[in-house]
Amino acid sequence: RLQESRERLSVCSKLCYAVGGAPYQITGCALGFFLQIYLLDFFLLQLDAFYASIILFVGRAWDAITDPMVGFFISKSSWTRFGRLMPWIIFSTPFGVISYILIWFVPDISRGQVMWYLVFYCLFQTLVTCFHVPYSALTMFISREQSERDSATAYRMTVEVLGTVLGTAIQGQIVGKVDTPCIESPLFIGMTNSSVALEELNMTHDTGSLTDTRNAYMIAAGVIGGLYILCALILWAGVREKRESSELQSDEPVSFFQGLKLVMNHGPYIKLIAGFLFTSLAFMLLEGNFALFCTYTLGFRNEFQNILLAIMLSATLTIPFWQWFLTRFGKKTAVYVGISSAIPFLIMVAVLDSNLIITYIVAVAAGISVAAAFLLPWSMLPDVVDDFKLQHPSSHGHEAIFFSFYVFFTKFTSGVSLGISTLSLDFAGYQTRGCSQPSEVNFTLKMLVTVTPVVLILLGLLLFKLYPIDEEKRRKNKKALQDLR
């Protein structure tokens, strides 16, 4: 009891730790919901769906590759008086903010726009990885107690989902208030090149509205960048990285590649990331295509930012419920109940006609499931790390490998799926900046937002049947770790 009392974290420490998760979610939500429609429909870019898919795929794929790279360098980092992880977080922050703002900046160049957005998108993904991988691994260095880590993770997930609300609200409300012109469908007749349509648009709409939209994107980027810096400072000021929280009495150095081999051969880890790989993909596909789906398939061009906000508010409010649920009924049960709850509502959107009230109901229900998808992976990963330590007590310092490779698999596959989904829209005949889309595009969007996520969720839930760490196993691991220490 005395040991547990010393390991307890104050509410202030948990809040400061949780605030550190907001920058990744704020920027990720803004990019996830709005970058695709920004690249496809923002009239100053003149990019067709093919080039947009290249930017999105390469950016996500590079983002995935940087996770294990950063994990490798972190494992080689020395401890400083600020810790081993915290210097990565602090030094990457200002450069990450600059690169994020430049993603939303429209360069005054006639050629090279694709390369501009590709370079700064990849650069930002690298820098935000240098922030988020050490921050994720920090979970193992704030306390040795499972209950304290679970509690801190619940705080973190609440703030992260709140970060998605902020990202959605800031980006959506600032940009959504600007009247962005579109091209009426008759202009598309006989046009095979989207640049022709864009020239028509530029000739028929007031130049002032173009400037207003460009300024709106930059204002939103500036506000989000300021929040990014503020959250990093709060994390640095309020959290102390404890070296002893992750170490056992028998710890001896093991090389990165030996540790990587051990991690990839750890059965519970592979089964956990396999399950969450499919469920995460489902929600990433939903996130990446939802703005286009609301704008064109449902016909809610002026409402989609409010629908997104409803999803994220619902997710924020239900995080405490899922924390209570997993404590009361176990994490595996929470996975089945929480993530599967989105399925009937996604089916409802697919089969029913467009209706704004039903769409808001589905948005709130989807937010409940999103909350579970946010909380549970990060709550279950520390259990896998503890199980690994019991089986390999002589191996230590590999927490970043567990967290970085989980993110690597989900990001890489989501990059592939997002690139394929954007190409699918191109093949279906997507019309840049159109006020409406062909029926083939609307059908493709419906498949990407409803049917495909349902199939991926079902596959993920089937894989979770193989995950071996239940509540009884967790309690045994906790007792054995205490004895080993």
Side-chain angles (χ1 to χ4, degrees):
R1 292 197 190 97
L2 183 61
Q3 176 65 30
E4 290 182 3
S5 177
R6 286 199 296 264
E7 289 290 332
R8 289 195 178 278
L9 299 171
S10 67
V11 173
C12 180
S13 295
K14 292 177 184 178
L15 285 173
C16 290
Y17 165 73
V19 166
Y24 180 78
Q25 297 301 336
I26 294 174
T27 56
C29 188
L31 290 169
F33 279 126
F34 293 95
L35 184 60
Q36 186 182 40
I37 196 169
Y38 171 82
L39 294 174
L40 289 174
D41 277 3
F42 191 34
F43 38 86
L44 293 174
L45 296 182
Q46 300 186 10
L47 298 180
D48 62 25
F50 173 77
Y51 293 114
S53 68
I54 294 297
I55 293 172
L56 293 171
F57 167 70
V58 174
R60 286 291 185 98
W62 174 251
D63 184 22
I65 293 170
T66 58
D67 284 290
M69 289 172 57
V70 171
F72 169 78
F73 289 118
I74 289 175
S75 69
K76 295 297 183 182
S77 300
S78 302
W79 280 87
T80 69
R81 63 192 183 96
F82 299 109
R84 188 174 69 175
L85 305 174
M86 199 65 73
W88 285 82
I89 295 172
I90 296 303
F91 289 122
S92 66
T93 294
F95 303 104
V97 170
I98 293 171
S99 60
Y100 176 79
I101 293 174
L102 291 176
I103 291 174
W104 304 102
F105 177 75
V106 181
D108 188 16
I109 53 179
S110 58
R111 294 183 179 181
Q113 286 185 332
V114 173
M115 187 57 64
W116 172 280
Y117 290 102
L118 184 59
V119 167
F120 284 109
Y121 187 38
C122 290
L123 180 61
F124 171 73
Q125 298 291 8
T126 302
L127 292 165
V128 80
T129 297
C130 292
F131 183 105
H132 191 63
V133 168
Y135 172 75
S136 300
L138 191 61
T139 308
M140 303 302 299
F141 292 87
I142 56 177
S143 177
R144 286 187 295 195
E145 287 298 314
Q146 288 182 355
S147 58
E148 290 300 296
R149 293 201 304 253
D150 286 346
S151 177
T153 300
Y155 276 79
R156 170 191 164 189
M157 290 302 108
T158 302
V159 174
E160 285 197 5
V161 177
L162 182 60
T164 64
V165 174
L166 286 174
T168 305
I170 293 170
Q171 191 82 12
Q173 298 303 317
I174 293 177
V175 175
K177 289 185 180 301
V178 179
D179 182 21
T180 304
C182 62
I183 304 172
E184 297 295 339
S185 55
L187 291 175
F188 287 114
I189 299 175
M191 293 183 181
T192 58
N193 190 337
S194 61
S195 64
V196 178
L198 289 167
E199 290 174 3
E200 290 284 343
L201 176 66
N202 290 331
M203 288 187 296
T204 55
H205 288 86
D206 181 21
T207 307
S209 64
L210 309 183
T211 304
D212 291 342
T213 304
R214 178 169 54 187
N215 292 340
Y217 275 106
M218 290 303 298
I219 291 170
V223 173
I224 289 175
L227 289 174
Y228 193 125
I229 295 173
L230 177 62
C231 292
L233 291 175
I234 292 174
L235 174 67
W236 175 75
V239 176
R240 186 171 69 89
E241 188 178 340
K242 301 176 183 178
R243 184 173 187 174
E244 68 276 6
S245 291
S246 177
E247 294 182 345
L248 304 177
Q249 292 178 354
S250 57
D251 280 344
E252 294 179 3
V254 176
S255 73
F256 174 84
F257 292 104
Q258 287 177 314
L260 178 60
K261 183 179 179 181
L262 291 173
V263 167
M264 289 304 157
N265 286 327
H266 190 57
Y269 180 65
I270 297 301
K271 293 167 185 174
L272 180 69
I273 62 174
F276 275 118
L277 178 65
F278 286 98
T279 56
S280 298
L281 278 177
F283 289 103
M284 288 177 182
L285 267 179
L286 183 64
E287 176 187 74
N289 295 283
F290 194 76
L292 293 172
F293 178 72
C294 288
T295 300
Y296 296 115
T297 306
L298 299 182
F300 303 137
R301 175 177 293 274
N302 298 321
E303 286 287 335
F304 80 86
Q305 66 268 19
N306 298 323
I307 297 171
L308 294 178
L309 195 57
I311 294 175
M312 294 306 152
L313 282 173
S314 172
T316 303
L317 295 175
T318 50
I319 283 284
F321 166 77
W322 288 119
Q323 175 63 19
W324 169 84
F325 190 95
L326 68 86
T327 304
R328 177 68 177 81
F329 299 102
K331 296 179 181 181
K332 286 188 71 173
T333 304
V335 167
Y336 295 131
V337 175
I339 296 179
S340 64
S341 63
I343 293 177
F345 296 97
L346 291 175
I347 294 174
M348 185 185 301
V349 171
V351 299
L352 296 180
D353 293 332
S354 175
N355 184 289
L356 186 58
I357 296 177
I358 292 177
T359 302
Y360 272 105
I361 293 173
V362 171
V364 172
I368 297 173
S369 189
V370 167
F374 263 94
L375 174 65
L376 291 167
W378 301 111
S379 180
M380 296 168 78
L381 270 173
D383 300 336
V384 173
V385 177
D386 286 342
D387 187 74
F388 175 83
K389 286 180 179 179
L390 285 175
Q391 296 188 27
H392 306 280
S394 62
S395 178
H396 72 95
H398 305 300
E399 292 82 3
I401 298 177
F402 279 95
F403 288 88
S404 63
F405 270 88
Y406 165 72
V407 179
F408 164 77
F409 287 117
T410 55
K411 283 182 178 179
F412 183 80
T413 314
S414 72
V416 173
S417 64
L418 190 56
I420 291 174
S421 67
T422 310
L423 280 176
S424 300
L425 295 175
D426 189 29
F427 292 143
Y430 183 87
Q431 303 290 355
T432 303
R433 262 301 352 124
C435 294
S436 61
Q437 296 291 339
S439 59
E440 293 83 0
V441 172
N442 292 327
F443 176 78
T444 302
L445 285 170
K446 183 173 288 190
M447 293 297 102
L448 292 172
V449 171
T450 58
V451 177
T452 306
V454 168
V455 173
L456 290 172
I457 288 172
L458 291 174
L459 288 174
L461 294 178
L462 286 175
L463 289 171
F464 274 118
K465 294 289 290 183
L466 304 175
Y467 179 67
I469 302 178
D470 54 17
E471 293 307 298
E472 182 180 357
K473 178 72 171 176
R474 285 182 66 235
R475 286 192 290 269
K476 290 181 179 179
N477 285 352
K478 178 181 177 180
K479 178 64 170 62
L481 277 173
Q482 289 174 341
D483 294 341
L484 189 59
R485 288 190 177 107

